[in-house]
Amino acid sequence: SSRRTSLKVSKLSLAESLPPVDALQYLDCDGIGVATHYVISQLYEVVTTLKSNAFASRTKSNSVVASSNFVSKATLSSIFYPSGILIDDWRPLLRILLGTKSDSYVHRGSGFCLACILLEGCTLQTNGHLFSPISSILESFVSWIVSRLQCSSTRSLSMVTSSLTVIILSKEVRHLFGKAGGVGYLSRRLRVYQESFDS
């Protein structure tokens, strides 16, 4: 029953609101699942806000940036890479991805957030501002993406699409993805999708 509830929770839109009775029923049946969904949705909002802050600070004039408040100065770099070293707060995201107990919503959200965090690390590394390598984390993340692409279900593809779209911008990740056979798996998935679309 809790598995069925968790699957229902994963299909809820962030834009829709549940009546209090339904929300309490979900919470009662699968408290951990509901809490996990809430945490991932909040982390998603934080990450997308930090990404937009970084973009805005690159496009604003220096005087506007200097007069802005702390929230607009916060970026993925300042939060996740203080002093040029990735903090350990990313580890639960990778544990979720490598585990089997979470549903597709949690995997998709965790993957996207981790992709954004790791892409920021790749940018710092390229600019010489990363003081601790993240190569092993990138390898694990790319391995997860490739393993999802190997699965034949459409759900597996939807889990990694947003993550892959973000992280593939890194030259190092493109190299790791190609080395792991990801290009072949992705082309096969796209070919199968195109054939089903044409039929």
Side-chain angles (χ1 to χ4, degrees), residues 51-171:
K51 279 181 59 161
S52 65
N53 285 349
F55 177 76
S57 69
R58 283 193 298 268
T59 56
K60 287 182 181 177
S61 69
N62 289 338
S63 61
V64 174
V65 172
S67 66
S68 61
N69 61 21
F70 170 76
V71 173
S72 65
K73 290 181 182 178
T75 62
L76 284 168
S77 294
S78 66
I79 300 298
F80 290 99
Y81 295 90
S83 306
I85 298 172
L86 178 61
I87 60 173
D88 284 343
D89 292 351
W90 62 270
R91 291 184 189 279
L93 295 172
L94 189 60
R95 265 197 303 276
I96 287 171
L97 296 177
L98 300 178
T100 57
K101 294 185 179 183
S102 298
D103 56 48
S104 58
Y105 174 84
V106 173
H107 275 101
R108 190 171 45 251
S110 299
F112 175 81
C113 292
L114 188 54
C116 292
I117 294 166
L118 292 176
L119 181 63
E120 188 68 22
C122 292
T123 304
L124 289 172
Q125 185 171 333
T126 301
N127 296 334
H129 299 300
L130 186 67
F131 304 115
S132 180
I134 59 170
S135 302
S136 62
I137 306 165
L138 288 172
E139 287 174 11
S140 297
F141 189 63
V142 168
S143 175
W144 171 73
I145 290 174
V146 170
S147 72
R148 296 289 89 210
L149 290 174
Q150 289 174 339
C151 295
S152 59
S153 75
T154 307
R155 202 169 90 203
S156 289
L157 182 60
S158 72
M159 273 192 250
V160 300
T161 304
S162 60
S163 307
L164 185 58
T165 304
V166 169
I167 200 70
I168 205 70
L169 297 172
S170 161
K171 184 177 182 179

Side-chain angles (χ1 to χ4, degrees), residues 191-199:
R191 197 168 36 251
V192 168
Y193 174 78
Q194 184 63 39
E195 288 170 2
S196 69
F197 188 71
D198 290 341
S199 323

